[in-house]
Amino acid sequence: MSRILHLSDLHFGTVDARLVDPLVDLAHRLKPDLCVVSGDLTQRARADQFRAARAFLDRLPAPVLLVPGNHDMPLHNLPLRLLAPLARYRRAFGPLTEPQATLPDAVVQGLNTANPLVWKSGRLRRASIRRLERTFSEAPTGHWRVAVMHHAPVPAADGTPADIADPAGTLAALARAGAEIVLSGHTHMPHMGLADTAAGVLFLQVGTALSTRLKTGSNDLALLSLSPGVVRVESWLSPPGARGFEPGPARTYRRLDGVWNEVDKA
Ligand SMILES: [Fe+2]
């Protein structure tokens, strides 16, 4: 049974410094097999912000799989944004923007949805879809197929429409590729659930783990526990004024014959 710690939207540059040590401590207590960061490591893609993000990731207890978000491309340096939007990201974290991780019961594929040509919304490129199809087709039977992408192709918790080009086409491409779980961020609002048109894909969004740019009043993260046919998702929240994270809602989903259903609420 693998455990994945899902963090997102760290936004180094606008981090609540009081939460950094408690988050590192919690991560060690939860003993994940993999840490996932679904984009927006920095606030403005500055070199010092990437260095701070890198120093934070180095303190986490397990291997880290991360993908870029829209904030990880320079906003005001247009030549850099257009010619090498992820140069600083790569300098901090290495060359791969679509890394892959294999756990004993899951294959996790990162996807880069950052789009330098627009202000903040995302795009899933054809090459990324092909990579996902290849990864998942080669994954052993019975392994969970997990995709990680900053922008989700489903609405946010408050109903805000998906902030990605062609959400319906993206959703269909993920389902066709065999994605069973998709981990995202970007909205700064935690949200779990299924898309109406893709009952086989469970969408799990977390808000911001560390940033002061809150939409829900709390920082949050999630721990996924994978077992055969079942995934349990435990939220951890840091409400206003708190100096650490406390357990939030937990949900359990079962996938049977290619369809997800929620088992219980706690
Ligand atoms: Fe974002």
Side-chain angles (χ1 to χ4, degrees):
M1 185 170 97
S2 297
R3 291 147 70 85
I4 299 175
L5 185 68
H6 181 197
L7 313 175
S8 198
D9 296 75
L10 307 179
H11 288 285
F12 274 86
T14 61
V15 154
D16 183 343
R18 297 172 313 166
L19 290 181
V20 174
D21 287 346
L23 177 52
V24 171
D25 290 346
L26 176 63
H28 281 263
R29 282 210 311 277
L30 295 177
K31 296 187 171 51
D33 301 289
L34 178 71
C35 298
V36 162
V37 185
S38 50
D40 281 0
L41 283 291
T42 66
Q43 180 61 25
R44 278 288 166 256
R46 287 169 37 172
D48 60 325
Q49 294 172 351
F50 278 118
R51 274 196 298 276
R54 177 61 205 245
F56 168 76
L57 299 185
D58 287 345
R59 297 176 65 195
L60 293 177
V64 180
L65 181 145
L66 67 158
V67 295
N70 47 300
H71 277 263
D72 297 320
M73 303 176 293
L75 185 60
H76 302 299
N77 185 336
L78 264 191
L80 192 60
R81 183 176 175 95
L82 294 175
L83 297 174
L86 292 171
R88 290 173 180 164
Y89 178 96
R90 288 192 167 97
R91 207 169 301 142
F93 306 125
L96 296 182
T97 56
E98 299 195 329
Q100 185 191 327
T102 303
L103 296 167
D105 53 2
V107 172
V108 185
Q109 178 66 60
L111 300 168
N112 168 22
T113 55
N115 182 2
L117 301 180
V118 295
W119 162 248
K120 70 181 180 66
S121 76
R123 166 166 94 99
L124 186 61
R125 295 164 181 79
R126 242 183 277 263
S128 304
I129 295 169
R130 280 197 297 273
R131 185 194 303 276
L132 193 69
E133 289 170 345
R134 198 165 52 240
T135 298
F136 287 167
S137 69
E138 291 169 356
T141 308
H143 274 47
W144 287 109
R145 283 144 167 84
V146 183
V148 179
M149 53 200 288
H150 181 64
H151 304 81
V154 290
D158 67 350
T160 306
D163 194 13
I164 191 167
D166 186 15
T170 302
L171 192 55
L174 289 167
R176 255 196 326 270
E180 296 168 320
I181 299 171
V182 176
L183 306 180
S184 301
H186 186 58
T187 64
H188 293 206
M189 287 179 266
H191 192 35
M192 308 180 199
L194 312 175
D196 295 339
T197 56
V201 190
L202 177 62
F203 288 92
L204 301 175
Q205 295 173 254
V206 289
T208 168
L210 287 176
S211 173
T212 54
R213 293 160 56 98
L214 299 173
K215 289 259 180 66
T216 61
S218 297
N219 292 93
D220 72 281
L221 54 104
L223 180 74
L224 280 67
S225 301
L226 306 175
S227 48
V230 174
V231 57
R232 181 166 172 81
V233 191
E234 295 167 15
S235 305
W236 288 79
L237 305 173
S238 178
R243 291 183 167 252
F245 293 83
E246 51 196 52
R251 291 187 180 184
T252 303
Y253 295 90
R254 171 169 286 125
R255 196 173 193 274
L256 194 62
D257 297 331
V259 175
W260 283 104
N261 276 295
E262 189 172 353
V263 175
D264 61 33
K265 288 185 186 181

